[in-house]
């Protein structure tokens, strides 16, 4: 059938199985919005800022594994989307962003609302396209979805000039399309897998260090089976939390800058590090010179360029982590050996580090401590909520104290560290899981970076529970200034008299606001909020202003050189 | 240890493909000595030759990162095997008041050609590997050089080895 470019876009999205488009209209996308208006298969979610739309699509994608879809206009629409796109890129989130562009004849003329979107986004997308002919539109959209969702996923931008959306051509949905220059799959190499299993069997002090690749690659079940069969301790990166059950006895907690003592000490002392879908980020390795000094390293990753980028590894295995772990399991099962006995000395060492109880905190001084709020939230939600975090101290407290047993429940901007991510990401997660409990963990700094999305939540009746850990500071920056700049608190104080009244603010947007100042009220307040199933509740917890995140590996130190309390 | 490498690419002959490669090098802090690109006999493909230098780990990353670009179809480090490397240079000098015999001698010694001769200027051309071209430029430096134009390196593997899809 013959359709306009705009109709092709909506028809294609329907055929691709897209449920929601998160976006914001404008001049260059008027034809597309008109096509959206004239159909009802694809639902559009109007954010209140393009950044919010992109984070919402991102939270949707992280929480259910589907590709998030965004539609914004040219110029400022596209530039406002860039932070969201970069956030998704750093964490390898599947996403397609359709940006309007000025009409083709005007491109390059500094037309109204014109920016070089393909140029601006080039370094923060997996790939991008400028559509120059309506005949190429369908094929380009299909390519965008394939590239975004396969291999190491990532955002793809499709920039569509306005005139293209008005031209007509024949449309039929392509089931698949070949992209000759793009490798979607790598078959796990049998030889390396055999070698890896031999190394596992020979190791005395092995550690599994696993990241976001396990979540993105839906490999949590394989990881658990593998780790249990080989009785290997598991530590997760921030992106990897939920990839292995946090309540399991083999779990050591998160590693890295704010990782647990046992996880970081195990890393420092291991003789075989098995990295699975993790990328040796500087927040994880600490000083690279002092990283895992005694270890042979196996690195399993779907992206060859991740391997030996920061740390030289002994055995690289390129492939989907799910396939590689499955293949390794087959070999392990063929010749089961008494791992438990062999690794007993290693486990007793680990249990000694555990007895340090590095996450213990003072909770008897009449102040609310954020760790306590997170612990209680975990109990009240039975560990089953979708926890969408902003960026800062509260993010680390959530990662440390909420125990994630399932993948895709912990949603945070790990790589880019984007303040303002938490609330819109929770919107996306709530759209993906309408009946689930979805919480935003935030602080008084982060929440104000995308506060306007409270209006979107109102429009769509999203019953998100916002846990605002309000310390009157930009807490993480303040902590660094306390430790490394002799407490010169430069521009980090958000004094109470200058802050909005968050309760009234929530009410102004049509939501419920609560302020909690007494530690004895924390649990009952959380219970009360969770009981309001159909309401967004903004919980403003007034916490200890100078709380610090411990343990901490100072920048430039080795993982064994932690500050404990 | 830093070594010099010639990396050949086949990439989609599309707008923006060149800037993706150039952007990758600048974003990741990789070094580019020369970069040349032109279409091939297959109109959908361009052939690019990049001369770069770095440690073994950096060269490995360059290859992997290039392979990751969606517009890049094939990547080959041709310095890994026997190969031919060619570069063209054109040098314009001012000939006013020069000892032309001496210049001619240098040109002959370096197997270069004079491709343009006017009253006060001449253009000398040489095809060869980068080392040969560097030597000629050094020899000519004693004269008033008006312009030095180098094409950048193109390279191809010797024998049956081909870069194709």
């Amino acid at each position: 059938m013959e359709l306009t470019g705009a109709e092709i876009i909506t028809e294609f999205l329907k055929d691709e199985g897209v449920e929601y488009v998160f976006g914001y209209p404008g001049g260059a996308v008027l034809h597309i919005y008109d096509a959206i208006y004239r159909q009802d298969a694809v639902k559009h979610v109007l954010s209140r800022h393009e950044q919010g739309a992109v984070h919402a699509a991102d939270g949707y994608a992280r929480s259910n594994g589907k590709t998030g879809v965004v539609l914004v206009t040219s110029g400022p629409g596209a530039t406002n989307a860039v932070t969201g796109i970069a956030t998704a890129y750093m964490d390898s989130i599947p996403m397609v962003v359709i940006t309007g562009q000025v009409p083709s004849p005007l491109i390059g003329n500094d037309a109204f609302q014109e920016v070089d979107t393909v140029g601006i986004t080039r370094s923060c997308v997996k790939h991008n396209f400028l559509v120059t002919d309506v005949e190429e539109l369908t094929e380009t959209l299909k390519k965008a979805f394939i590239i975004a969702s396969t291999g190491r996923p990532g955002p793809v931008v499709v920039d569509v000039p306005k005139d293209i959306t008005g031209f007509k051509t024949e449309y039929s949905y392509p089931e698949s399309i070949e992209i000759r220059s793009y490798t979607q799959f790598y078959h796990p190499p049998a030889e390396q897998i055999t070698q890896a299993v031999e190394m596992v069997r020979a190791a005395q002090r092995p550690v599994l260090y696993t990241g976001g690749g396990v979540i993105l690659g839906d490999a949590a079940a394989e990881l658990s089976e593998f780790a249990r069969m080989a009785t290997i301790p598991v530590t997760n990166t921030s992106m990897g939390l939920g990839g292995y059950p946090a309540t399991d006895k083999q779990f050591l907690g998160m590693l890295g800058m704010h990782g647990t003592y046992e996880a970081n000490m195990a890393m420092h002392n291991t003789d075989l590090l098995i990295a699975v879908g993790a990328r040796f980020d500087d927040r994880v390795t600490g000083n690279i010179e002092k990283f895992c000094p005694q270890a042979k390293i196996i690195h399993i990753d779907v992206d060859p360029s991740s391997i030996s980028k920061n740390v030289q590894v002994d055995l690289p295995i390129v492939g989907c982590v799910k396939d590689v772990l499955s293949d390794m399991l087959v070999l392990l099962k063929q010749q089961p050996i008494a791992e438990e006995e062999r690794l007993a000395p290693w486990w007793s060492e680990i249990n000694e580090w555990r007895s340090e109880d590095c996450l213990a905190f003072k909770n008897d001084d009449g102040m609310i401590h954020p760790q306590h709020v997170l612990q209680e939230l975990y109990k009240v939600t039975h560990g089953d909520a979708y926890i969408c975090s902003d960026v800062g101290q509260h993010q680390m407290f959530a990662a440390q104290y909420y125990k994630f047993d399932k993948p895709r429940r912990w949603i945070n901007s790990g790589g880019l560290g984007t303040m303002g991510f938490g609330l819109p990401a929770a919107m996306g997660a709530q759209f993906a899981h309408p009946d689930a409990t979805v919480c935003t963990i935030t602080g008084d700094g982060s929440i104000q970076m995308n506060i306007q999305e409270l209006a979107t939540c109102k429009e769509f009746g999203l019953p998100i529970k916002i846990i605002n850990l309000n310390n009157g500071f930009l807490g993480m920056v303040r902590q660094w200034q306390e430790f490394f700049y002799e407490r010169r608190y430069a521009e980090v104080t958000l004094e109470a008299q200058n802050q909005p009244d968050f309760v009234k603010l929530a009410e102004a947007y049509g939501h419920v606001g609560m302020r909690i100042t007494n530690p004895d009220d924390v649990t009952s307040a959380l219970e009360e909020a969770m009981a309001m199933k159909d309401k967004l509740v903004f919980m403003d917890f007034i916490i200890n202003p100078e709380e610090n995140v411990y343990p901490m590996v100072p920048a430039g130190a080795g993982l064994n050189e932690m500050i404990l309390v | 240890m830093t070594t010099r490498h010639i990396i050949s690419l086949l990439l989609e002959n599309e707008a923006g493909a060149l800037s993706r490669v150039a952007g990758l090098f600048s974003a990741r802090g990789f070094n580019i000595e020369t970069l040349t690109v032109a279409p091939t006999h297959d109109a959908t493909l361009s052939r690019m030759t990049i001369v770069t230098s770095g440690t073994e780990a950096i060269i490995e990353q360059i290859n992997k990162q290039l392979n990751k670009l969606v517009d890049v179809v094939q990547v080959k480090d041709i310095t890994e095997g026997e190969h031919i490397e060619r570069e063209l240079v054109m040098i314009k000098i001012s000939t006013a008041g020069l000892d032309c015999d001496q210049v001619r001698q240098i040109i002959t010694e370096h197997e270069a050609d004079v491709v343009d001769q006017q009253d006060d200027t001449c253009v000398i051309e040489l095809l060869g590997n980068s080392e040969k071209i560097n030597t000629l430029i050094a020899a000519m430096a004693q004269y008033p050089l008006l312009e030095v134009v180098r094409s950048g390196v193109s390279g191809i593997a010797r024998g049956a080895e081909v870069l194709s899809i």
Side-chain angles (χ1 to χ4, degrees):
Chain A
M1 71 193 133
E2 190 161 79
L3 299 176
T4 65
E7 290 161 346
I8 287 174
I9 290 173
T10 54
E11 200 62 21
F12 177 88
L13 293 176
K14 185 192 83 184
D15 291 344
E16 187 68 24
V18 173
E19 199 181 0
Y20 289 105
V21 173
F22 300 88
Y24 205 104
V29 285
L30 274 166
H31 292 331
I32 306 176
Y33 272 87
D34 189 53
I36 283 178
Y37 185 86
R38 289 185 280 109
Q39 58 84 53
D40 52 14
V42 182
K43 297 187 255 314
H44 182 273
V45 176
L46 175 69
S47 67
R48 296 302 188 268
H49 186 289
E50 287 87 351
Q51 186 187 351
V54 186
H55 290 327
D58 184 324
Y60 176 86
R62 289 183 204 234
S63 69
N64 74 0
K66 294 182 187 165
T67 300
V69 182
V70 179
L71 173 59
V72 295
T73 194
S74 64
T79 54
N80 278 345
V82 168
T83 301
I85 295 169
T87 303
Y89 181 64
M90 285 292 270
D91 292 343
S92 309
I93 305 306
M95 180 185 288
V96 171
V97 182
I98 300 169
T99 54
Q101 183 54 276
V102 301
S104 311
L106 295 184
I107 290 179
N109 287 5
D110 301 323
F112 177 65
Q113 293 196 325
E114 180 185 1
V115 292
D116 174 11
T117 302
V118 165
I120 284 177
T121 58
R122 187 181 304 119
S123 59
C124 62
V125 291
K126 187 169 172 189
H127 195 60
N128 57 20
F129 297 94
L130 171 65
V131 180
T132 54
D133 185 344
V134 71
E135 304 293 337
E136 293 168 4
L137 181 58
T138 307
E139 191 184 308
T140 305
L141 288 167
K142 186 66 192 175
K143 282 182 183 173
F145 275 82
I146 291 172
I147 293 169
S149 61
T150 54
R152 180 180 183 171
V156 177
V157 166
V158 182
D159 198 27
V160 191
K162 188 174 185 179
D163 53 332
I164 303 283
T165 62
F167 295 146
K168 281 191 165 181
T169 190
E170 280 295 315
Y171 169 77
S172 67
Y173 176 73
E175 285 300 332
S176 70
I177 230 165
E178 200 225 343
I179 310 169
R180 65 177 174 185
S181 58
Y182 177 68
T183 312
Q184 288 187 37
F185 305 106
Y186 293 93
H187 294 288
E191 199 178 307
Q192 273 109 310
I193 283 168
T194 311
Q195 208 182 327
V197 171
E198 279 165 14
M199 286 166 81
V200 168
R201 286 187 164 141
Q204 301 298 315
R205 300 185 305 280
V207 171
L208 272 157
Y209 143 61
T210 81
V214 171
I215 314 285
L216 294 163
D218 290 321
E222 289 76 7
L223 172 65
S224 293
E225 197 183 349
F226 178 79
R228 284 179 183 142
M229 178 163 259
T231 68
I232 300 177
V234 183
T235 178
N236 291 159
T237 69
S238 158
M239 288 305 298
L241 291 172
Y244 189 84
T247 51
D248 187 274
K249 64 180 186 345
Q250 281 176 232
F251 187 61
L252 304 183
M254 183 171 72
L255 81 164
M257 182 170 276
H258 294 296
T260 63
Y261 184 66
E262 51 269 38
N264 285 342
M265 290 305 283
M267 291 292 285
H268 190 74
N269 289 281
T270 181
D271 67 345
L272 178 68
L273 183 66
I274 309 156
V276 186
R279 60 186 178 89
F280 298 85
D281 176 84
D282 54 276
R283 285 291 186 271
V284 155
T285 61
N287 186 338
I288 215 106
E289 305 292 326
K290 302 177 183 173
F291 179 70
C292 295
Q294 308 157 43
K296 292 257 183 231
I297 302 176
I298 300 172
H299 190 180
I300 305 168
D301 206 291
V302 73
D303 176 6
S305 73
S306 264
I307 296 176
S308 292
K309 183 177 68 180
N310 300 336
V311 170
Q312 288 297 314
V313 306
D314 299 281
L315 180 64
I317 304 180
V318 176
C320 291
V321 292
K322 192 185 182 81
D323 299 345
V324 174
L325 289 173
S326 303
D327 289 0
M328 286 175 73
L329 265 169
V330 170
L331 291 186
L332 268 189
K333 282 178 189 166
Q334 278 170 6
Q335 270 187 307
I337 52 168
E339 296 288 351
E340 207 157 343
E341 201 178 307
R342 196 166 60 83
L343 298 184
W346 177 225
W347 273 108
S348 72
E349 235 179 305
I350 287 170
N351 287 332
E352 249 174 65
W353 293 322
R354 269 180 173 160
S355 67
E356 191 72 36
D357 197 9
C358 69
L359 293 180
F361 59 94
K362 197 169 93 170
N363 197 28
D364 55 2
D365 53 5
M367 285 194 279
I368 298 180
H369 293 273
Q371 301 92 325
H372 174 61
V373 178
L374 266 308
Q375 274 183 346
E376 292 307 301
L377 178 68
Y378 173 75
K379 287 181 202 154
V380 169
T381 57
H382 311 289
D384 205 26
Y386 287 84
I387 302 294
C388 305
S389 180
D390 257 309
V391 170
Q393 287 183 316
H394 58 269
Q395 177 188 22
M396 291 298 105
F397 288 130
Q400 291 173 329
Y401 292 90
Y402 198 98
K403 300 184 193 77
F404 295 94
D405 278 343
K406 295 178 194 164
R408 301 195 181 277
R409 296 303 174 105
W410 166 239
I411 290 164
N412 87 127
S413 169
L416 197 68
T418 307
M419 290 172 72
F421 175 79
L423 176 58
M427 297 180 344
Q430 190 80 75
F431 276 111
H433 307 277
D435 300 324
T437 303
V438 176
C439 301
T440 294
I441 311 295
T442 186
D444 44 325
S446 282
I447 191 63
Q448 296 188 68
M449 284 215 184
N450 267 320
I451 193 82
Q452 77 286 345
E453 297 307 328
L454 283 174
T456 313
C457 295
K458 177 65 181 158
E459 180 181 341
F460 290 90
L462 304 175
I464 296 164
K465 305 297 180 281
I466 299 174
I467 286 88
N468 187 38
L469 299 171
N470 186 343
N471 56 6
F473 277 114
L474 301 176
M476 188 58 96
V477 182
R478 186 208 56 75
Q479 178 172 342
W480 282 60
Q481 290 172 342
E482 177 187 333
F483 286 12
F484 310 117
Y485 296 86
E486 296 163 323
R487 301 178 78 109
R488 290 187 298 278
Y489 290 166
E491 304 299 324
V492 290
T493 312
L494 308 173
E495 283 173 64
Q497 70 267 21
N498 303 325
Q499 288 278 61
D501 178 332
F502 285 111
V503 173
K504 282 188 187 158
L505 186 72
E507 287 167 0
Y509 276 103
H511 302 301
V512 177
M514 292 167 74
R515 180 167 299 111
I516 304 95
T517 55
N518 185 335
D520 297 334
D521 298 337
V522 168
T523 312
S524 56
L526 285 167
E527 281 166 351
E528 192 187 331
M530 296 305 155
M532 288 186 251
K533 293 270 178 223
D534 56 347
K535 292 221 161 50
L536 184 148
V537 183
F538 191 116
M539 309 182 75
D540 190 26
F541 289 92
I542 308 302
I543 63 163
N544 172 25
E546 296 193 58
E547 193 79 49
N548 288 322
V549 183
Y550 293 112
M552 180 174 184
V553 178
L559 289 184
N560 60 330
E561 300 167 320
M562 271 165 285
I563 304 170
L564 279 176
V565 173
Chain B
M1 195 187 69
T2 296
T3 49
R4 177 174 178 270
H5 291 255
I6 303 173
I7 297 172
S8 287
L9 313 178
L10 282 179
L11 65 166
E12 297 289 352
N13 189 8
E14 276 181 16
L18 168 63
S19 57
R20 285 181 214 282
V21 175
L24 168 70
F25 275 73
S26 61
R28 294 194 180 266
F30 300 143
N31 166 48
I32 298 184
E33 283 173 19
T34 74
L35 185 154
T36 66
V37 60
T40 65
H41 58 295
D42 175 347
T44 66
L45 288 174
S46 293
R47 170 87 172 222
M48 182 183 278
T49 309
I50 301 171
V51 178
T52 184
S53 56
T55 60
E56 203 180 316
I58 286 172
I59 299 298
E60 184 187 327
Q61 264 300 306
I62 290 174
N63 275 290
K64 285 174 169 176
Q65 294 289 348
L66 285 170
N67 260 311
K68 199 165 140 179
L69 292 176
V70 173
D71 280 343
V72 170
V73 188
Q74 290 281 334
V75 180
K76 173 84 189 154
D77 182 348
I78 63 166
T79 32
E80 280 175 355
E82 290 281 306
H83 63 280
I84 299 159
E85 169 192 344
R86 287 288 180 273
E87 191 178 3
L88 178 79
V89 67
M90 291 184 284
I91 304 172
K92 185 180 282 183
I93 60 168
S94 168
T95 50
L98 277 192
D99 177 351
C100 285
D101 288 344
Q102 203 187 351
V103 175
R104 244 177 247 121
Q105 197 185 335
I106 292 174
I107 291 169
T108 315
E109 269 172 25
H110 289 83
E111 297 171 315
D113 295 310
V114 175
V115 289
D116 178 55
Q117 183 134 30
Q118 308 284 339
D119 289 347
D120 293 332
T121 62
C122 84
V123 176
I124 300 157
E125 176 195 271
L126 174 65
L127 186 71
N129 62 27
S130 300
E131 201 184 326
K132 210 169 152 185
I133 284 167
N134 290 339
T135 316
L136 173 68
I137 295 170
M140 294 300 293
Q142 56 184 304
Y143 303 111
L145 301 184
L146 300 175
E147 281 180 275
V148 175
V149 185
R150 298 176 71 148
S151 64
V153 171
S154 287
I156 196 165
R158 286 186 187 274
E161 174 90 47
V162 289
L163 193 63
S164 67
I165 53 169

